[in-house]
Amino acid sequence: MKLSVIVPVYKENPEKFIKNFEIFNDAEIIFSVADQKTYNALKKTKYKVIKSKKGRGTQLHNGFLNSNSKYLLFMHSDCFFRQDPTDEITRILKDYEIGAFSIDFNNGFLMKIAAAMSSFRIDFRNIAFGDQGLFMKRSFYEKMGGFKDISLMEDYDFSIRVKKENIKIKRSRQKIYADDRRLKKMGILKSIFTMQKCQYIYRHTKNYKKCEEIYYTRRQK
């Protein structure tokens, strides 16, 4: 298999997302799971399932440590493709060291704005988030030191390090689709504002705990 797909999972119902991964024709699918109930449910599937300490950065890195392929795709469990992205990944990685996909959400004017902002962020700021499906060669992941052992902002932190090395994150025109239920639950505008605030705090202080506090407090309101 040329591609390992690494997915962090915590307290999710596998029935809601497991079919999304049938799109991959020949990939190593790795679920890095931080709770026992979901772990037990996923162990009944055909995919590789590992137990990990909670925290997206930790779960993603543990998934990497259990992967075997030349190319890596890191994606969220509530994201999906409508066609196998493997050929697109290998095509881009011939000329670039890292890439991400153009994201699309469910219908709605504000969600279209959010998707456009995500594309703008890659193209003009060279910053990609995890729901955009970061992909790279494993040699590049190792060179960059991997994801940090943090529970939030691990994707932003990785992008910042890539940017400091003057390495271009190439945006694919192929789309990755994201479930917007969490954004709608918090409120779309509030979600956008919160993530902008978290980016500012992390960029200037590296205090991911403060970002975590802000993000989850707002999400629970």
Side-chain angles (χ1 to χ4, degrees):
M1 295 182 182
K2 67 174 72 172
L3 178 68
S4 291
V5 183
I6 299 167
V7 188
V9 186
Y10 178 68
K11 290 187 176 179
E12 293 279 358
N13 180 357
E15 292 182 1
K16 291 183 177 180
F17 65 83
I18 198 70
K19 289 184 178 180
N20 293 338
F21 295 90
E22 293 176 358
I23 197 76
F24 293 93
N25 295 316
D26 187 26
E28 177 185 49
I29 311 296
I30 303 172
F31 294 111
S32 183
V33 189
D35 72 284
Q36 192 64 46
K37 183 177 179 181
T38 310
Y39 175 82
N40 291 342
L42 284 170
K43 284 293 285 184
K44 298 175 183 177
T45 69
K46 62 183 178 180
Y47 303 115
K48 182 183 287 188
V49 185
I50 64 166
K51 193 72 180 294
S52 174
K53 187 180 78 172
K54 183 184 175 185
R56 266 207 322 250
T58 306
Q59 288 173 251
L60 288 167
H61 186 65
N62 284 338
F64 161 76
L65 293 175
N66 285 271
S67 68
N68 298 291
S69 305
K70 178 180 180 180
Y71 300 119
L72 307 171
L73 167 61
F74 300 95
M75 59 182 290
H76 294 176
S77 62
D78 56 359
C79 293
F80 62 94
F81 294 94
R82 290 181 177 162
Q83 64 183 55
D84 189 344
T86 304
D87 288 344
E88 176 72 348
I89 289 171
T90 55
R91 181 187 70 80
I92 288 177
L93 292 181
K94 288 178 182 178
D95 300 311
Y96 296 88
E97 296 193 84
I98 180 171
F101 292 92
S102 301
I103 195 168
D104 199 358
F105 297 97
N106 295 347
N107 291 331
F109 178 70
L110 287 176
M111 297 314 300
K112 295 297 181 185
I113 292 176
M117 287 175 61
S118 295
S119 293
F120 178 89
R121 191 172 56 239
I122 295 179
D123 293 345
F124 295 97
R125 293 178 54 206
N126 209 48
I127 298 291
F129 284 172
D131 57 2
Q132 293 169 277
L134 282 165
F135 57 87
M136 64 201 78
K137 292 180 181 179
R138 67 184 305 114
S139 57
F140 179 74
Y141 180 86
E142 292 169 336
K143 182 176 77 173
M144 293 302 303
F147 289 109
K148 288 187 178 178
D149 183 17
I150 55 180
S151 58
L152 198 67
M153 309 306 292
E154 81 294 332
D155 43 8
Y156 186 54
D157 174 86
F158 195 90
S159 289
I160 289 173
R161 283 183 277 142
V162 171
K163 187 173 184 175
K164 285 182 178 178
E165 296 294 324
N166 293 314
I167 296 169
K168 173 66 177 175
I169 300 176
K170 176 63 176 176
R171 178 170 66 91
S172 169
R173 297 289 178 176
Q174 182 174 342
K175 289 185 176 181
I176 186 171
Y177 297 85
D179 190 324
D180 60 6
R181 69 185 189 277
R182 289 191 176 92
L183 290 175
K184 287 183 174 179
K185 183 178 180 180
M186 185 191 293
I188 296 169
L189 290 176
K190 184 188 288 185
S191 298
I192 293 172
F193 173 78
T194 299
M195 290 313 299
Q196 290 296 320
K197 185 174 182 179
C198 287
Q199 287 179 57
Y200 178 86
I201 290 171
Y202 190 83
R203 185 166 62 249
H204 292 281
T205 69
K206 294 296 187 291
N207 187 350
Y208 79 91
K209 286 289 187 182
K210 182 64 177 178
C211 298
E212 187 179 59
E213 177 186 336
I214 292 169
Y215 180 77
Y216 289 111
T217 298
R218 286 184 180 272
R219 200 170 81 174
Q220 291 167 5
K221 288 183 178 180

